[in-house]
C-alpha cells in the first residue's frame, strides 16, 4: 500500500478530470466517527480534539436543529441518551417520554452536561469499557464551534483535517416545520465550505434529500449517500446497492457510506465474504466509506481489530472507514504491506 495520503480534494479532482478512483492508489481515509468516540463522549469538542491529534483525515459531525434553528452536533433528535436533560428539565419530555433537541433553545441546551451514551431504557452505558457515564463534564457544541475547533487545530498542527457532517432526519425536521439542510448549508457557506474540492463530505441517509440538496439547493459540495442494512421509509437500500441503483446515486453524489456488513457480509470460518458492492460502486465512479469500525464491537468471528481494518482495506479495497478508534485504525493501515 502506498503511504501517500491523497486528500478528498485530490481524489475528487481525479473524478472531475476523468481519472477513475481505482487508478488512484491511496490509503483509505480515517474518518473519526462522532470524534474519537471510543475514548471520550461522542460529539464533544474533547472527542473532536482527540480525533484531530490522532491524525484522522476527517472528523464526523451528526447534526440536528434546536428550537431556535441552530445546528448542533448531536447524533439523536433526542437529548436524553447523552445529557442530564431529564434531571435539569424534568417537565419537558414529550408524551413518549423523550426529550427532543428541537424543543429546546440553544441557550437551554448549553446548560446541559454532555457525557457518555447510555441506554435510556436501562440507564446502563452502551459501551461498558469506554469513558464513564458519570461524571458528565462536557457540553453539546454547535456545528460552527466544532468546525472552528478543527480549523484552529489545523492551524496549530499544520494539518488539513476535513469535516464530515451528517444531516440527521431531514424528513422528520420538515414535519416539525424546519428545513435542516438549508440551515446546515448556510453554516457551511459562512465557514467557507462551498466547493467540490473543499475538505468536506456531506452525508445523509435520505436519498431524496440528497438529490434535493444537489439539484434544488444547488449545493456543489461532495455528497455521500449513506446506506443502511434495512429499508427505512422511502429509502430502499437493497435497490440502492444494485449496479443500477449505484449509477443513480452517481448522478447526485460522489460516494456511498454503507453499513460495513454490506461490504463484507460475513467472516465465516475466518474467511471474509466480500460482496461486489465496493467494486460496483467504484465502477460507477463512487468512493466507498463504510461504517462503523469499533475495536470494542467487532463482527462475530473477528477477534483482532487490526485484521478487520486491513481486510476492508486490502480485500475489499474501500476508500475510507468511519471509526470510533481512529488511532488504532491508522496504526492498522500503516502496517499494511507496501505491495498491497
Ligand atoms: O454516518 C455514518 C454513520 O455514522 C451512520 O450511522 O447512526 O452512527 O450516524 P450513525
Ligand atoms: Ca453519522
Amino acid at each position: 500500500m502506498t503511504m501517500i495520503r491523497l486528500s478528498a480534494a485530490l481524489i475528487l479532482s481525479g473524478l472531475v478530470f476523468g481519472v477513475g478512483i481505482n487508478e488512484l492508489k491511496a490509503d483509505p481515509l480515517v474518518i473519526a466517527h462522532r470524534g474519537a468516540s471510543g475514548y471520550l463522549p461522542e460529539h464533544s469538542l474533547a472527542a473532536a480534539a482527540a480525533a484531530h491529534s490522532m491524525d484522522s483525515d476527517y472528523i464526523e459531525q451528526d447534526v440536528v436543529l434546536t428550537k431556535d434553528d441552530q445546528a448542533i452536533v448531536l447524533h439523536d433528535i433526542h437529548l436524553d441518551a447523552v445529557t442530564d436533560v431529564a434531571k435539569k428539565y424534568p417537565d419537558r419530555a414529550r408524551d413518549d417520554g423523550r426529550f427532543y433537541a428541537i424543543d429546546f433553545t440553544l441557550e437551554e441546551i448549553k446548560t446541559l452536561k454532555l457525557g457518555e451514551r447510555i441506554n435510556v431504557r436501562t440507564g446502563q452505558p452502551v459501551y461498558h469499557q469506554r469513558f464513564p457515564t458519570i461524571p458528565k463534564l462536557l457540553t453539546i457544541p454547535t456545528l460552527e464551534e466544532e468546525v472552528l475547533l478543527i480549523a484552529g487545530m489545523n492551524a496549530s498542527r499544520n494539518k488539513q483535517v476535513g469535516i464530515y457532517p451528517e444531516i440527521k432526519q431531514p424528513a422528520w425536521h420538515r414535519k416539525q416545520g424546519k428545513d435542516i439542510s438549508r440551515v446546515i448549508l448556510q453554516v457551511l457557506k459562512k465557514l467557507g465550505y462551498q466547493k467540490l474540492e473543499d475538505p468536506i463530505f456531506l452525508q445523509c441517509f435520505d436519498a431524496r434529500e440528497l438529490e434535493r440538496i444537489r439539484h434544488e439547493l444547488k449545493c456543489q459540495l461532495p455528497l455521500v449517500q449513506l446506506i443502511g442494512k434495512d429499508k427505512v421509509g422511502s429509502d430502499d437500500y437493497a435497490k440502492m446497492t444494485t449496479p443500477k441503483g449505484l449509477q443513480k446515486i452517481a448522478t447526485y453524489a460522489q460516494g456511498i457510506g454503507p453499513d460495513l456488513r454490506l461490504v463484507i457480509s460475513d467472516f465465516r470460518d475466518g474467511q471474509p465474504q466480500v460482496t461486489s458492492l465496493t467494486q460496483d460502486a467504484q465502477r460507477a465512479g463512487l468512493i466507498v466509506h463504510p461504517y462503523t469500525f469499533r475495536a470494542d464491537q467487532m463482527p462475530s468471528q473477528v477477534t483482532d481489530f487490526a485484521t478487520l481494518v486491513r481486510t476492508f482495506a486490502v480485500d475489499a479495497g474501500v476508500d475510507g472507514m468511519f471509526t470510533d478508534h481512529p488511532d488504532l485504525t491508522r496504526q492498522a493501515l500503516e502496517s499494511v504491506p507496501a505491495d498491497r
Side-chain angles (χ1 to χ4, degrees), residues 33-34 60 62 75 166 168 203 226:
H33 183 246
R34 312 184 196 173
E60 191 209 20
D62 292 309
H75 179 266
E166 178 184 341
K168 281 290 182 191
Q203 48 165 342
L226 294 173

Side-chain angles (χ1 to χ4, degrees), residues 64-75:
V64 302
L65 292 187
T66 65
K67 188 175 185 177
D68 48 346
D69 294 332
Q70 300 299 305
I72 57 170
V73 184
L74 183 69
H75 179 266

Side-chain angles (χ1 to χ4, degrees), residues 48-206:
H52 201 292
S53 68
M54 290 173 186
D55 285 341
S56 304
D57 294 304
Y58 284 77
I59 300 174
E60 191 209 20
Q61 300 79 34
D62 292 309
V63 184
V64 302
L65 292 187
T66 65
K67 188 175 185 177
D68 48 346
D69 294 332
Q70 300 299 305
I72 57 170
V73 184
L74 183 69
H75 179 266
D76 307 339
I77 52 176
H78 310 116
L79 290 159
D80 34 23
V82 291
T83 74
D84 58 353
V85 64
K87 213 183 274 172
K88 206 158 271 166
Y89 295 99
D91 306 328
R92 300 277 294 275
R94 289 194 182 185
D95 290 346
D96 61 3
R98 303 300 303 267
F99 296 81
Y100 289 74
I102 213 163
D103 294 336
F104 292 79
T105 63
L106 179 62
E107 193 180 349
E108 289 171 330
I109 284 173
K110 285 290 188 185
T111 67
L112 303 177
K113 290 293 180 201
L114 172 70
E116 187 64 29
R117 172 174 290 274
I118 57 160
N119 176 324
V120 287
R121 226 172 7 88
T122 63
Q124 291 303 304
V126 171
Y127 299 100
H128 289 270
Q129 285 170 1
R130 294 195 177 183
F131 198 88
T133 54
I134 306 284
K136 294 196 186 315
L137 300 167
L138 303 154
T139 52
I140 294 177
T142 64
L143 175 61
E144 179 168 349
E145 286 164 348
E146 180 154 330
V147 174
L148 290 174
L149 176 101
I150 293 167
M153 288 192 75
N154 280 343
S156 61
R157 299 187 67 235
N158 192 25
K159 302 274 183 195
Q160 207 199 18
V161 175
I163 61 170
Y164 211 132
E166 178 184 341
I167 301 170
K168 281 290 182 191
Q169 302 204 32
W172 182 85
H173 276 88
R174 194 165 301 118
K175 278 194 197 138
Q176 309 293 315
K178 299 200 183 291
D179 187 344
I180 184 172
S181 299
R182 269 190 206 277
V183 174
I184 291 176
L185 290 178
Q186 273 164 11
V187 173
L188 295 174
K189 184 175 174 188
K190 176 179 162 197
L191 296 168
Y193 294 88
Q194 282 197 84
K195 302 190 295 296
L196 185 66
E197 60 272 25
D198 289 336
I200 177 173
F201 288 102
L202 185 59
Q203 48 165 342
C204 190
F205 277 103
D206 186 326

